[in-house]
């Protein structure tokens, strides 16, 4: 990708006093602004992989001196190497750990979060509903929903947090508040109530749900994994694998207004088709090991690692250690209403 230059190179050098006079008025001449007519997106993010083998021991170290009660959350945020904050320009992802017996207090905020459970089992309470989570389950904490975390089990629990904080902050729409007077919210619904209501492809007749996010708080791996394998069997794409999107059962739309989620299967020895698109994606490895070629560069990954594919980067996943199951989250829904989605898929990796 070429670096954008101003339309008239070195324009300032020819008339320095003129441009200083403009600058004093807090104005720039359009013909001197790099990228004004850039033919392709110019990015402040790069592809990168974060390894569980490096970060999980650091989470355990953090547990020696940080409790979720004091720190609100014992969570790491992965910063893109080219950014101060944000795994991509709209999303932030990272691991969170809760130990047996610990609780993380209730709060709510305008940014939305998804949790992809990776280790152990425990509860995230969402708007009064305790949601049991175990490996591979996707749990939503939608915008402005009270949520806390509780750990009745006996093994540390670790999950991947994915949030739209960079986007929400960029819109100057970040608000957050603590649950009044209490550490944990009141339980007002039975455990996994939303799964009973919305979790089997049927919805309650005359549902009164009016929020924009999915009414289903959990997509259990015990149902999503077999669905993915069945799709792969019927789709007939033996080497390139298959992908399902998690949807709002009432609308067929994304699970959260700003965040879509996917589950992909690639059989061992297979490879996804090379593609690129304007939305970015963060992938997390639920099963298998392999590597991705992102704009020509190789990134190796194994179970529980996560990696970012920035906007408009060609990528292809290759499963070389067992069948791979990759979860991904994306800022795709942000692009759709503005007609900004562009996607290309090829049979062969393109010459860059
Ligand atoms: O678990 O509620 O990584 O509120 C960032 C903000 C996790 C959480 C994060 C949050 C949470």
């Amino acid at each position: 990708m070429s670096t954008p230059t101003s339309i008239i190179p070195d324009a300032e050098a020819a008339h320095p006093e003129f441009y200083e006079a403009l600058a004093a008025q807090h104005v720039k001449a359009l013909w001197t602004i790099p990228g004004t007519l850039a033919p392709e997106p110019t990015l402040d993010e790069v592809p990168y992989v974060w390894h569980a083998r490096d970060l999980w021991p650091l989470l355990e170290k953090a547990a020696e001196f940080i409790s979720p009660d004091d720190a609100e959350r014992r969570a790491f945020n992965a910063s893109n190497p080219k950014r101060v904050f944000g795994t991509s320009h709209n999303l932030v992802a990272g691991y969170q750990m809760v130990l047996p017996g610990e609780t993380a207090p209730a709060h709510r905020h305008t940014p939305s979060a998804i949790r992809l459970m990776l280790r152990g089992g425990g509860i995230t309470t969402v708007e009064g509903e305790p949601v049991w989570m175990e490996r591979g389950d996707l749990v939503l904490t939608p915008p402005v929903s009270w949520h806390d975390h509780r750990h009745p089990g006996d093994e540390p629990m670790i999950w991947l947090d994915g949030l739209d904080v960079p986007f929400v902050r960029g819109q100057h729409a970040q608000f957050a508040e603590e649950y009044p007077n209490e550490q944990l919210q009141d339980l007002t619904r039975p455990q996994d109530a939303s799964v009973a209501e919305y979790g089997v492809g049927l919805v309650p007749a005359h549902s009164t749900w009016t929020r924009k996010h999915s009414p289903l708080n959990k997509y259990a791996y015990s149902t999503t994994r077999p669905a993915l394998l069945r799709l792969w069997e019927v789709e007939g794409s033996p080497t390139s694998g298959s992908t399902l999107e998690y949807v709002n059962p009432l609308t067929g739309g994304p699970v959260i207004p700003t965040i879509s989620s996917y589950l992909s299967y690639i059989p061992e020895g297979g490879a996804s088709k090379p593609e690129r698109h304007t939305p970015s994606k963060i992938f997390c490895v639920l099963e298998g090991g392999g590597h991705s070629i992102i704009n020509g560069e190789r990134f190796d990954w194994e179970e529980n690692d996560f990696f970012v594919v920035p906007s408009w980067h060609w990528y292809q996943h290759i499963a070389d250690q067992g069948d791979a199951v990759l979860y991904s989250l994306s800022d795709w829904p942000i692009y759709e209403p503005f007609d900004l989605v562009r996607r290309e898929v090829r049979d062969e990796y393109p010459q860059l």
Side-chain angles (χ1 to χ4, degrees):
M1 207 190 314
S2 58
T3 316
T5 51
S6 49
I7 294 172
I8 302 178
D10 300 324
E12 279 114 325
H15 301 280
E17 282 163 24
F18 168 76
Y19 290 101
E20 274 162 30
L22 269 193
Q25 303 297 321
H26 299 286
V27 167
K28 282 199 172 100
L30 186 61
W31 59 88
T32 63
I33 302 175
T36 298
L37 291 176
E40 291 196 347
T42 48
L43 305 186
D44 58 352
E45 56 196 29
V46 290
Y48 195 77
V49 53
W50 287 266
H51 296 287
R53 64 168 182 271
D54 297 326
L55 285 169
W56 287 18
L58 291 172
L59 266 182
E60 272 158 31
K61 188 84 200 152
E64 292 170 16
F65 50 87
I66 294 288
S67 85
D69 218 18
D70 299 336
E72 196 86 11
R73 300 293 185 258
R74 185 191 294 115
F76 292 164
N77 273 180
S79 295
N80 193 287
K82 284 249 286 211
R83 295 181 57 84
V84 175
F85 176 67
T87 312
S88 72
H89 60 294
N90 283 328
L91 300 174
V92 63
Y95 299 122
Q96 179 167 168
M97 182 164 83
V98 184
L99 296 178
E102 285 183 339
T103 55
H107 64 203
R108 64 181 181 178
H109 37 66
T110 46
S112 306
I114 60 86
R115 331 278 171 180
L116 181 73
M117 192 63 165
L118 297 174
R119 177 175 169 193
I123 284 175
T124 288
T125 308
V126 186
E127 288 281 295
E129 175 188 340
V131 180
W132 174 257
M133 354 191 255
E134 56 192 39
R135 186 169 172 83
D137 292 354
L138 181 71
V139 172
L140 308 183
T141 48
V144 201
S145 302
W146 292 114
H147 54 283
D148 58 54
H149 309 296
R150 322 172 179 212
H151 195 335
D154 48 21
E155 197 199 336
M157 60 173 174
I158 299 180
W159 65 79
L160 183 82
D161 279 330
L163 298 101
D164 56 7
V165 175
F167 175 71
V168 174
R169 281 200 199 155
Q171 306 319 303
H172 301 176
Q174 153 95 32
F175 296 90
E177 64 185 306
E178 305 294 322
Y179 193 69
N181 305 325
E182 304 198 30
Q183 287 293 299
L184 297 170
Q185 62 190 295
D186 297 334
L187 303 183
T188 56
R189 308 196 73 205
Q191 183 164 316
D192 292 337
S194 69
V195 179
E197 289 169 325
Y198 293 95
V200 289
L202 299 164
V203 299
H206 315 296
S207 164
T208 54
W209 185 261
T210 54
R211 302 290 308 270
K212 289 190 176 136
H213 57 264
S214 170
L216 182 57
N217 287 326
K218 174 170 77 173
Y219 298 73
Y221 202 45
S222 58
T223 54
T224 57
R225 187 183 192 281
L228 180 63
L229 289 173
R230 280 198 303 276
L231 174 74
W232 178 68
E233 281 159 16
V234 300
E235 249 190 358
S237 39
T239 56
S240 59
S242 292
T243 297
L244 280 173
E245 181 177 352
Y246 298 80
V247 294
N248 174 338
L250 286 173
T251 63
V255 288
I256 280 181
T258 50
I259 305 176
S260 53
S261 280
Y262 311 87
L263 197 63
S264 299
Y265 174 76
I266 306 162
E268 181 166 28
S272 65
K273 287 194 174 179
E275 65 175 297
R276 66 173 172 176
H277 34 69
T278 42
S280 55
K281 274 196 173 184
I282 297 168
F283 289 88
C284 185
V285 184
L286 276 173
E287 294 183 33
H291 65 278
S292 299
I293 306 292
I294 310 177
N295 266 16
E297 199 183 337
R298 178 182 172 134
F299 294 85
D300 289 286
W301 37 258
E302 55 190 21
E303 262 186 27
N304 302 323
D305 292 351
F306 66 98
F307 57 95
V308 60
V309 176
S311 303
W312 211 231
H313 276 52
W314 283 106
Y315 66 99
Q316 179 176 35
H317 308 306
I318 294 106
D320 32 44
Q321 285 157 48
D323 300 338
V325 179
L326 299 178
Y327 164 80
S328 55
L329 70 148
S330 175
D331 50 8
W332 205 287
I334 296 171
Y335 290 68
E336 273 181 333
F338 309 106
D339 255 352
L340 293 173
V341 174
R342 284 199 190 185
R343 176 172 183 254
E344 290 179 16
V345 185
R346 300 263 174 91
D347 288 325
E348 301 293 330
Y349 205 95
Q351 286 287 335
L352 297 176

